[in-house]
Amino acid sequence: MPIHVLENYVSVEQYAALCRKSKRAIMDRIRGGSISAIKVDGYYAINTVVNPPIHTVNPHHKRKAGAHTSYHDLRCIITWCNGKGIRSYPYLRAVINGQLEGWLIGEEVFARLTDLEAFRKK
């Protein structure tokens, strides 16, 4: 199974550093609609092609943007494992070895919930 890398996406923290703004300012702009982002399992990622990281972004510029939930069935592997009280290394290793299909978005690795549950039962 492949690893899907969404290259253009960065975390809110990385985007804030690129724009020389605070994380709170970027989150406010996402909520206000001037920056578009995706939200996957509580993790926000910003496409740097759609939203170029410039430090002079006008927070009052209104676009049809905001946080959009994409990939509803994906879960962050590390957060999911921590919630279950299990180690995440076997799951991350399974993604690397091709046993699980994975998505790399920003700094986090995601997998389908059904695949994680099935791998856990093995």
Side-chain angles (χ1 to χ4, degrees), residues 21-93:
K21 299 288 181 188
S22 68
K23 178 183 172 186
R24 175 59 37 215
I26 300 302
M27 289 302 295
D28 289 343
R29 291 177 183 178
I30 290 171
R31 288 187 187 98
S34 62
I35 296 176
S36 65
I38 61 171
K39 182 178 178 185
V40 182
D41 193 29
Y43 177 79
Y44 288 93
I46 301 169
N47 188 334
T48 57
V49 173
V50 175
N51 303 291
I54 53 176
H55 64 279
T56 57
V57 174
N58 183 356
H60 303 294
H61 179 264
K62 293 293 181 186
R63 297 187 278 187
K64 298 265 184 192
H68 306 285
T69 303
S70 301
Y71 306 102
H72 300 286
D73 58 340
L74 295 184
R75 297 292 180 266
C76 177
I77 293 176
I78 295 173
T79 305
W80 183 81
C81 289
N82 288 344
K84 300 285 185 188
I86 55 177
R87 294 177 38 154
S88 59
Y89 299 115
Y91 296 88
L92 295 171
R93 196 174 308 116

Side-chain angles (χ1 to χ4, degrees), residues 2 18 29-30 32 41-42 54 56 60-61 70 90 97 103 108-109 112-113 115 117:
L18 291 171
R29 291 177 183 178
I30 290 171
D41 193 29
I54 53 176
T56 57
H60 303 294
H61 179 264
S70 301
N97 293 334
W103 283 261
E108 297 291 334
V109 180
R112 285 192 182 103
L113 179 60
D115 293 345
E117 292 289 346

